[in-house]
Amino acid sequence: MVASMESLSEALIRGDRNKVAELTTAALSEGAAPQDVLEKGLIAGMMVVGKRFKANEVYVPEVLIAARAMHAGLNILQPALTKAGVEPVGVVVLGTVKGDLHDIGKNLVGMMLTGGGLKVVDIGIDASADKFVEACKNSNAQVCAMSALLTTTMPQMAEVVKALKAANLDVKIIIGGAPVTQNFANEIGADGYAADAASAVDVVQTLIKN
Ligand code: B1M
């Protein structure tokens, strides 16, 4: 079997996790470089899913299914990546702020970020400012990403921004969630805002580069 990167991307876009696992295994055993399998196969496929999601051509269930297929490939690829010394593009601490239990959007953002080659440290829901600060310190994160779905929990984002600044951490901050806006991000001193999971990948990658 010759596993092309195109067929791997296509299987991921279809959300066919068995095929993704099979093609990832085959590509590695045929001598493909793990980084190529990651970038030209898995990430390339996830980027297509992200673009289609942004354009409302596919919806949350399709993205979740594609993300599940991505994980099937990553599980096989991870030991080879570690052996080859391939580092993630960056580390992102991600959580839903204190008082807020909504995590579907956050999880989607996490999956898309993983799909974009980033290491995601997911600190879950109801995460306090201290928890964000600790996680950023412990993981040497370049980016702190917060999600909020309630107008009543948005002020918690400002608390996290304050706590990160007080801790003197060199970390960029991105916020998002249905009630959050670019104006609010500017107001509280966050470095970035994204309206959806696919845009979050673009914003995080730009924040890391600058
Ligand atoms: Co609640 N809820 N909920 N809820 N809930 C909303 C958010 C609400 C709009 C419903 C409504 O009244 N119409 C409303 C909030 C009103 C407001 O404040 N503006 C609301 C409320 C009031 C509540 C409770 C207070 C209800 C009650 O108990 N009286 C309560 C609060 C609990 C708490 O958090 N403390 C509550 C509880 C719940 C459930 C537990 C039942 C459940 C959550 C389950 C879970 O998440 N595991 C739930 C749900 C499911 C919803 C709705 C129906 C759907 C949210 C969702 O998952 N959307 C929601 C109404 C709605 O949105 N239609 C509602 C799908 C998801 C993919 O979208 O999360 O927006 P979203 O994420 C998007 C973007 O926002 C963005 O990317 C994602 C994908 O593109 N994004 C980011 C999100 N985070 C990002 C971070 C980024 C960048 C982009 O950078 C870091």
Side-chain angles (χ1 to χ4, degrees), residues 53 99-105 145-147 149-151 176-178 194-197:
F53 180 55
D100 202 320
L101 308 177
H102 296 86
D103 69 354
I104 298 169
M146 288 177 255
S147 179
L149 263 287
L150 299 171
T151 40
D196 56 63

Side-chain angles (χ1 to χ4, degrees), residues 52-116:
R52 292 185 183 170
F53 180 55
K54 237 181 187 174
N56 289 324
E57 290 166 13
V58 298
Y59 299 97
V60 172
E62 286 94 332
V63 179
L64 293 176
I65 291 166
R68 195 181 60 176
M70 174 106 194
H71 279 293
L74 279 177
N75 285 342
I76 294 164
L77 200 55
Q78 199 59 61
L81 286 171
T82 310
K83 212 168 147 194
V86 177
E87 296 289 334
V89 184
V91 179
V92 183
V93 163
L94 170 69
T96 302
V97 294
K98 193 172 166 194
D100 202 320
L101 308 177
H102 296 86
D103 69 354
I104 298 169
K106 168 188 73 65
N107 293 344
L108 216 50
V109 170
M111 287 166 186
M112 296 301 289
L113 290 174
T114 306

Side-chain angles (χ1 to χ4, degrees), residues 185-208:
N186 298 343
E187 210 176 282
I188 66 169
D191 303 290
Y193 157 77
D196 56 63
S199 312
V201 181
D202 300 336
V203 175
V204 165
Q205 285 173 341
T206 308
L207 289 177
I208 287 175

